[in-house]
Amino acid sequence: MHFTKLVPSVFYTDIADGLQLFVDCLQFTIAHKDFTASQPYCVLQKGNISLMLFQDAQLANEHNPELRLVTDNIEEVYTQVAASHPHLLHPNLNKVTLRPWGAKEFAIADKQLGIRFQQW
């Protein structure tokens, strides 16, 4: 078997929260959207990374994922996120920290999900 990409689906009570996190903060672009559908959704992309956001209150209440984004320059990512959206920094990992397993990490969170940034 050969796979080329994993595209997660993330459910929000209000899709605007996801757009703030991914588009405004992390600078993803909207590749496709249908905000007038019975279940509003959009496809977001940044480089080789894609994900789908859906507005569905029931599924949002059932699923609170944590995603990990790996980078080769965590200091740059941290500086940009901390300057533009400091309120999203997770209180338990709000600074770049060298973890016991060898990765440098920091985390952000909104009302729906957490994202851990890693540099190995």
Side-chain angles (χ1 to χ4, degrees), residues 3-81:
F3 303 102
T4 60
K5 193 183 281 190
L6 174 68
V7 181
S9 296
V10 180
F11 301 94
Y12 278 88
T13 300
D14 183 352
I15 200 168
D17 293 334
L19 293 172
Q20 179 186 12
L21 177 72
F22 286 101
V23 175
D24 297 344
C25 179
L26 299 179
Q27 302 171 350
F28 278 66
T29 58
I30 299 173
H32 179 76
K33 65 183 177 186
D34 188 349
F35 296 135
T36 61
S38 61
Q39 184 185 54
Y41 72 95
C42 61
V43 179
L44 302 180
Q45 293 181 320
K46 184 175 179 100
N48 292 328
I49 301 170
S50 298
L51 70 141
M52 295 186 70
L53 300 185
F54 292 91
Q55 183 168 296
D56 187 307
Q58 180 180 344
L59 291 174
N61 288 329
E62 295 172 7
H63 304 279
N64 296 98
E66 178 181 278
L67 306 176
R68 294 175 189 261
L69 289 175
V70 178
T71 179
D72 57 3
N73 192 342
I74 198 166
E75 298 293 340
E76 176 186 38
V77 175
Y78 176 79
T79 299
Q80 288 183 9
V81 170

